[in-house]
Amino acid sequence: MTKKILLVGESWVSSATHYKGFDQFGSVTFHLGAEPLVKALAGSAFELTYMPAHEAVEKFPFEMTGLDAYDAIILSDIGANSLLLPPDVWLHSRTVPNRLKLLKAWVEKGGGLLMVGGYFSFQGIDGKARWRRTPVEDTLPVTCLPYDDRVEIPEGTVAEVVKPEHPTMQGLEGAWPVLLGVNEVEVRDRADVEIVARLPEDQGGHPLLVVGTHGTGRTAAWTSDIGPHWLSPAFCEWEGYGRLWKNILGWLTEKQA
């Protein structure tokens, strides 16, 4: 049976100014960051809807029926403000449903939620992602730090699998390719929460993949990226890349016993 997945975020617009002697001009470019995941899931049992960050501001569902169309939702590199401040609120001071509370209620009744790391995930660069102490954080198996939580690893590091028997690790044998960074988080001290993979001790032992439950739903935190720059090109081209994400999504969308 096909599972429907909503990926929210993983896009950005860059503005540059080019100086050529006396003259200068500007340019704007649009970027998508989840192409490796899109490629990996093509033709699989997971039907992916990709909602870029700028579209999510207005198009992310305001009602439960909209969320119920999906088996799992991935929040990746998109800050809480994008869901808290749609134009009706930011420009017109009108009230709208709180979509962070809506997401929490959706997970409680069986939805699968995954937060993927990045500069605007968890607490993010300069603390600007702002997921700490939100209803979405309440659902996750980890908590966010109150400040910039990036752990940059320019020399590279390789994941250490703590629970190779976990369903999310099925078929992933041998050493993984290089990672270049993660968001630092704190793991909740609960019986349902499991650290599946982490960084080596000499890199701080930071959790990389943590899974848990909230209500009747399942949640997970992957603290590195979905693609470059924290995932090296070798990681994105690794034969285990697609299997990893399919395993995670398969676990998230499996109903609790």
Side-chain angles (χ1 to χ4, degrees), residues 140-192:
L140 297 176
V142 300
T143 58
C144 304
L145 302 183
Y147 41 76
D148 190 320
D149 60 8
R150 292 169 302 134
V151 180
E152 301 286 358
I153 312 171
E155 72 276 27
T157 189
V158 177
E160 178 182 298
V161 177
V162 180
K163 291 188 176 292
E165 73 281 3
H166 194 272
T168 57
M169 295 294 104
Q170 183 179 358
L172 297 173
E173 299 177 355
W176 294 16
V178 168
L179 298 164
L180 298 172
V182 297
N183 295 90
E184 183 179 353
V185 296
E186 295 183 345
V187 178
R188 293 188 188 275
D189 185 13
R190 286 199 324 241
D192 66 294

Side-chain angles (χ1 to χ4, degrees), residues 60-154:
F60 189 87
F62 286 89
E63 304 293 338
M64 187 64 74
T65 53
L67 297 183
D68 285 342
Y70 303 99
D71 296 289
I73 294 174
I74 305 170
L75 298 175
S76 183
D77 223 345
I78 182 170
N81 281 330
S82 291
L83 300 186
L84 289 170
L85 297 172
D88 272 351
V89 176
W90 178 241
L91 298 178
H92 306 295
S93 298
R94 300 183 185 124
T95 61
V96 301
N98 186 321
R99 291 180 286 182
L100 306 192
K101 292 181 178 179
L102 188 68
L103 262 172
K104 180 178 179 179
W106 176 76
V107 173
E108 286 174 347
K109 71 187 192 72
L113 181 65
L114 167 64
M115 183 170 284
V116 173
Y119 274 30
F120 271 87
S121 297
F122 300 101
Q123 201 68 355
I125 188 168
D126 299 331
K128 290 180 177 178
R130 297 188 66 251
W131 290 106
R132 176 176 164 84
R133 293 185 176 175
T134 66
V136 167
E137 186 197 46
D138 291 344
T139 73
L140 297 176
V142 300
T143 58
C144 304
L145 302 183
Y147 41 76
D148 190 320
D149 60 8
R150 292 169 302 134
V151 180
E152 301 286 358
I153 312 171

Side-chain angles (χ1 to χ4, degrees), residues 15-79:
S15 176
T17 301
H18 308 259
Y19 297 93
K20 298 193 175 185
F22 182 88
D23 298 300
Q24 60 86 20
F25 68 94
S27 65
V28 176
T29 51
F30 176 70
H31 308 267
L32 292 170
E35 289 98 331
L37 181 66
V38 172
K39 180 180 178 181
L41 296 184
S44 74
F46 301 100
E47 180 184 323
L48 184 69
T49 298
Y50 192 169
M51 182 181 287
H54 66 285
E55 292 184 7
V57 175
E58 292 190 82
K59 292 187 177 180
F60 189 87
F62 286 89
E63 304 293 338
M64 187 64 74
T65 53
L67 297 183
D68 285 342
Y70 303 99
D71 296 289
I73 294 174
I74 305 170
L75 298 175
S76 183
D77 223 345
I78 182 170

